[in-house]
Amino acid sequence: MEATINRQAAMKLRARLLSSWLTPDQALQSAGLRDRWRLTEAELRELFEAEVEAASSPEQVSLEKQRAISAAGRWRLRVEAGVQRLCAQLQKQDPDSLLPMILRRELLFALSQSAPREGFRAWAARRCTANDWEELRHAGPASGYLDLESFCEMVVLEAGHIDDAKEWFQHLKDLTDGSTCISYALLRQTAVGCPKLPGAADSAAPWEPTELLPRLLSVWTDLTEAFGWERQELRDVIRDRQQDKLTQTAGPRVSHQQWLYALRGKPEWPLLSETEAQEEAHRLGALGLTADRLFPNLSDRLQVTKNLFLPGELIVVRYTLSDFGHYGVCGPSPMVLGPDLPLGKAPFVAAVPAQPELAGFEEAWSRSALDVSLVRGAVRLRAPGALRGTSAFWHLRIFASDDGRTPTSAVSAPLLIQVMTVPPAPPSEVVAEGRDTSISFKWAECAQNGGAAVDRYDIALRYAESSKLAWTGHAQEPVITATSLTPDCDYTVQVRAANRAGCGPWSPGFAARTAARPPPPQVLAVGRETVLLRLPVEKAGNLTGYVVKAVCCTTGEPETSGDSEIVKRSGPKQTEVLLTGLLCATSYRLCAARLNASDQGPWSTCIQVRTKAGTPLPPESLTCLETKQEELCVSWSPPPRDGGAAICGYVLRAVCGPGSKDSVLCK
């Protein structure tokens, strides 16, 4: 269905598109291409804002021109080259036009291949927070039904991945009566109440209160209505406010029965099934938490799907300008009532650093204007990137403003979110244990992970003298072994942690060293089937003995071979070892290793010896072919083992009869 293009090129083009717009849909609308089914190459360049006066690719630009253009210009040239490659892969000839055209859907599907993957439950929670089902239905096919391509286009327009969309569509289609399309009503009902699609990867995970919140607010007006809290009369609240009796409270606790009431939903719009509502109400009610503790992704007037985001990730924020906010009249915080709500002419939702000293740092803000004509609505923000000198924590707030940029006051409580950063500090200490050709490393896990779990550790091992890279590796746990190293060599090791946001800084270099191999044994005597060795004298106090190994040269290395090997152990004071059971006239590699109470040390370097030649074995298959009066004609096969030397002749002996001492020799 979708075209496949170079992933790296698609990633660059998608990053270019989303550097100015939150979603591909916004970019198409801004360029006036939302209703165009086919795009020309010129329109595509306009969409990516990559049109330049220079040549069409960096290779065609002169060196002087390259030096003259700015860094931004060079980036635009790369985007231009990517657009041309994309056109070459996707363009098709339109029968009604002389220009090559690109299908808009194929463009979106190709770019989405570099988007991050997510589960249907996460997508559904974001869609419930936006709560624009009617707008979505009117923007889609007039029939009210979505086929596979229409559904995939809807997902990728909101910066989703094409493979996710195809997987979700198949699961949603299984819920129908065999139809090849799904309705908007089914999509909304599933996203709000039944997002645990059978067979989907995220279907088995239990509900979290933060995940249920956008669905509750999609069905109920506020949490007071959702949990059936006892309502207060509005005039009583106004009277208390006038008498300055409103105080900050922790909010009511949510019991099992209140959860059950909320999760069942309304008669005209049910939420969870009765069985699932009973199970979840029992589990969540046992927590016994107040509403403000249950929903960290909720403030008085703002709600998000989660509290942890990647830098640049799309944040959908639901807002309310009602008198009592999302909590309703029984919420934990007093609200400013409608007539006194100072919104200004152009209020906006913004993310500001949570650190008080940086609260006025204007460049740190990610803002989006809200529609004052709507009591409830949703806006989209981009998760802020990490700023030098700031933490990863931000506050989302509604600010009153007259120009859409300069805030006059905050009209909502802060909603704390965290933006993932790379692990801020590397492991502080690395412990190394070296052997002759390997070193095992251990280190403590990072105390801070930047808000996201550490996915892996990267290890770089360099030669201490030249700083040349000797070995690299990756590990999910804080332990790894580097292999195939040089014995008796100094190294420097560095470790860094990585999470979803990227790789953290490298640790300082820690010294490590491989163990030196012991000297090889000395050959004292070589026989036909034996070798006498002298072992090096050691004065180590923990030495418990030696082990000597002989491996036939035709079978492999002593360290790895398990066939045709002879191993012999000796005590710590035994300096000579006699190896027996060897083959005559055969080459062997010999090596030795030290032993202590816990382990065996590295093997020494190998020496090669060849045993002396021995006597051959008797010939085989002796047969008398012909007998005459004074002659015998016999035949035989060569012996299976010649003793290590070429056969130079045979001796035949004929005995006259049983018990006779007369014999005839023939050479």
Side-chain angles (χ1 to χ4, degrees):
M1 180 179 66
E2 79 281 1
T4 301
I5 65 173
N6 181 273
R7 179 177 175 82
Q8 187 175 7
M11 187 179 301
K12 290 181 179 179
L13 291 174
R14 184 174 181 274
R16 174 68 177 181
L17 195 69
L18 299 184
S19 63
S20 301
W21 308 103
L22 293 173
T23 63
D25 190 38
Q26 288 186 350
L28 289 171
Q29 289 181 355
S30 174
L33 303 174
R34 184 63 175 84
D35 298 327
R36 293 287 304 276
W37 290 99
R38 296 176 181 269
L39 308 176
T40 65
E41 185 173 337
E43 290 172 332
L44 194 61
R45 285 199 301 269
E46 181 181 354
L47 175 65
F48 287 101
E49 298 180 344
E51 194 170 9
V52 292
E53 297 179 358
S56 59
S57 67
E59 292 77 14
Q60 299 174 359
V61 182
S62 65
L63 181 60
E64 293 76 13
K65 189 69 174 180
Q66 282 277 18
R67 292 174 178 173
I69 60 179
S70 63
R74 288 194 296 271
W75 166 246
R76 295 178 68 186
L77 284 176
R78 289 195 294 270
V79 173
E80 172 78 5
V83 169
Q84 284 203 334
R85 288 194 297 269
L86 182 66
C87 290
Q89 292 173 310
L90 299 182
Q91 64 187 6
K92 297 180 180 179
Q93 190 69 34
D94 190 343
D96 300 328
S97 174
L98 298 178
L99 296 175
M101 307 290 284
I102 299 173
L103 290 176
R104 187 193 65 194
R105 279 182 175 175
E106 289 194 2
L107 166 67
L108 294 171
F109 295 163
L111 295 181
S112 74
Q113 294 174 26
S114 62
R117 302 291 299 270
E118 65 177 346
F120 181 76
R121 288 170 62 173
W123 177 85
R126 192 167 63 247
R127 179 58 66 186
C128 290
T129 298
N131 203 27
D132 56 354
W133 298 105
E134 288 301 317
E135 179 183 344
L136 184 69
R137 185 173 66 84
H138 291 305
S143 63
Y145 287 83
L146 292 164
D147 59 11
L148 175 59
E149 289 201 347
S150 298
F151 179 79
C152 290
E153 183 179 14
M154 180 192 70
V155 172
V156 301
L157 279 172
E158 286 290 310
H161 197 289
I162 178 65
D163 292 341
D164 286 335
K166 290 191 290 186
E167 177 184 329
W168 302 341
F169 184 84
Q170 293 301 323
H171 291 308
L172 290 169
K173 193 178 66 171
D174 293 341
L175 302 178
T176 65
D177 54 356
S179 173
T180 58
C181 298
I182 60 174
S183 65
Y184 283 99
L186 173 65
L187 177 61
R188 179 181 181 182
Q189 178 183 357
T190 306
V192 175
C194 310
K196 297 182 179 182
L197 294 179
D202 56 355
S203 62
W207 286 107
E208 294 294 336
T210 53
E211 191 180 8
L212 286 170
L213 178 61
R215 295 173 170 86
L216 292 174
L217 295 179
S218 295
V219 175
W220 304 96
T221 304
D222 51 45
L223 295 187
T224 294
E225 181 187 18
F227 292 119
W229 290 329
E230 184 179 353
R231 288 184 172 273
Q232 304 176 27
E233 293 294 337
L234 183 60
R235 61 177 178 269
D236 295 337
V237 178
I238 296 176
R239 184 184 65 250
D240 290 341
R241 178 178 178 274
Q242 291 173 346
Q243 297 175 1
D244 294 330
K245 292 183 178 180
L246 285 177
T247 58
Q248 189 80 10
T249 62
R253 297 183 182 274
V254 185
S255 66
H256 166 267
Q257 289 299 326
Q258 289 169 333
W259 268 117
L260 183 60
Y261 179 82
L263 295 179
R264 283 171 172 166
K266 297 181 178 180
E268 67 275 13
W269 189 250
L271 193 54
L272 302 185
S273 66
E274 180 64 24
T275 301
E276 190 174 13
Q278 289 279 2
E279 293 176 354
E280 294 300 325
H282 179 76
R283 184 178 66 86
L284 296 171
L287 299 177
L289 298 177
T290 57
D292 58 328
R293 295 285 303 278
L294 277 169
F295 306 117
N297 57 332
L298 179 72
S299 71
D300 52 2
R301 297 190 187 276
L302 299 176
Q303 175 254 316
V304 292
T305 57
K306 56 185 180 180
N307 296 87
L308 184 63
F309 298 90
L310 284 168
E313 185 178 352
L314 176 66
I315 305 178
V316 179
V317 186
R318 185 202 300 261
Y319 68 87
T320 178
L321 302 178
S322 66
D323 292 343
F324 298 98
H326 288 306
Y327 282 99
V329 295
C330 292
S333 302
M335 297 294 297
V336 178
L337 301 185
D340 298 325
L341 192 63
L343 291 176
K345 298 179 181 179
F348 57 86
V349 176
V352 296
Q355 294 171 302
E357 63 272 16
L358 295 176
F361 193 59
E362 186 173 352
E363 288 76 6
W365 292 8
S366 174
R367 58 169 58 81
S368 184
L370 55 85
D371 188 351
V372 294
S373 65
L374 299 176
V375 177
R376 297 175 183 85
V379 296
R380 289 170 171 81
L381 300 175
R382 191 188 307 279
L387 294 175
R388 186 178 299 276
T390 68
S391 69
F393 294 95
W394 299 77
H395 280 152
L396 296 178
R397 305 192 74 168
I398 298 178
F399 288 94
S401 176
D402 290 323
D403 58 5
R405 293 193 59 85
T406 306
T408 56
S409 63
V411 292
S412 70
L415 175 57
L416 184 67
I417 64 170
Q418 183 178 1
V419 178
M420 300 179 197
T421 62
V422 299
S428 58
E429 184 178 0
V430 179
V431 178
E433 182 180 352
R435 297 176 65 88
D436 57 333
T437 59
S438 65
I439 304 178
S440 297
F441 299 102
K442 296 181 181 179
W443 58 90
E445 295 184 358
C446 295
Q448 298 179 344
N449 56 19
V454 173
D455 295 326
R456 73 174 194 276
Y457 293 94
D458 299 332
I459 299 90
L461 193 64
R462 299 179 182 275
Y463 293 105
E465 290 187 359
S466 62
S467 298
K468 184 179 178 181
L469 192 63
W471 185 89
T472 59
H474 310 283
Q476 275 69 45
E477 301 296 331
V479 58
I480 197 172
T481 299
T483 58
S484 302
L485 304 180
T486 304
D488 195 20
C489 184
D490 290 318
Y491 293 91
T492 300
V493 62
Q494 290 180 289
V495 181
R496 70 179 179 185
N499 60 12
R500 291 179 59 193
C503 298
W506 286 103
S507 69
F510 294 94
R513 182 179 176 85
T514 49
R517 288 185 170 181
Q522 180 183 357
V523 178
L524 298 180
V526 179
R528 294 177 178 178
E529 299 178 351
T530 61
V531 174
L532 181 62
L533 300 175
R534 175 174 292 169
L535 303 176
V537 178
E538 299 290 340
K539 297 182 180 180
N542 60 350
L543 187 68
T544 60
Y546 299 90
V547 58
V548 180
K549 181 188 289 188
V551 178
C552 182
C553 289
T554 60
T555 60
E557 295 294 331
E559 293 87 343
T560 60
S561 176
D563 300 328
S564 302
E565 68 178 25
I566 296 177
V567 178
K568 189 166 185 178
R569 296 175 180 266
S570 65
K573 297 182 179 180
Q574 184 179 352
T575 59
E576 294 183 359
V577 174
L578 180 65
L579 292 177
T580 59
L582 306 180
L583 301 178
C584 300
T586 303
S587 295
Y588 286 89
R589 289 191 179 95
L590 308 177
C591 59
R594 307 182 187 100
L595 298 174
N596 59 22
S598 61
D599 201 0
Q600 173 186 311
W603 290 106
S604 68
T605 54
C606 295
I607 58 173
Q608 184 168 320
V609 298
R610 183 177 178 85
T611 54
K612 293 182 178 180
T615 57
L617 294 179
E620 296 180 342
S621 304
L622 181 63
T623 305
C624 181
L625 300 178
E626 185 180 0
T627 60
K628 295 182 180 180
Q629 186 174 1
E630 295 180 354
E631 295 179 359
L632 292 175
C633 182
V634 297
S635 67
W636 61 88
S637 299
R641 189 175 300 168
D642 59 8
I647 300 295
C648 59
Y650 294 91
V651 177
L652 280 75
R653 181 181 180 187
V655 181
C656 293
S660 174
K661 296 183 180 180
D662 297 332
S663 62
V664 178
L665 295 178
C666 181
K667 295 185 180 180

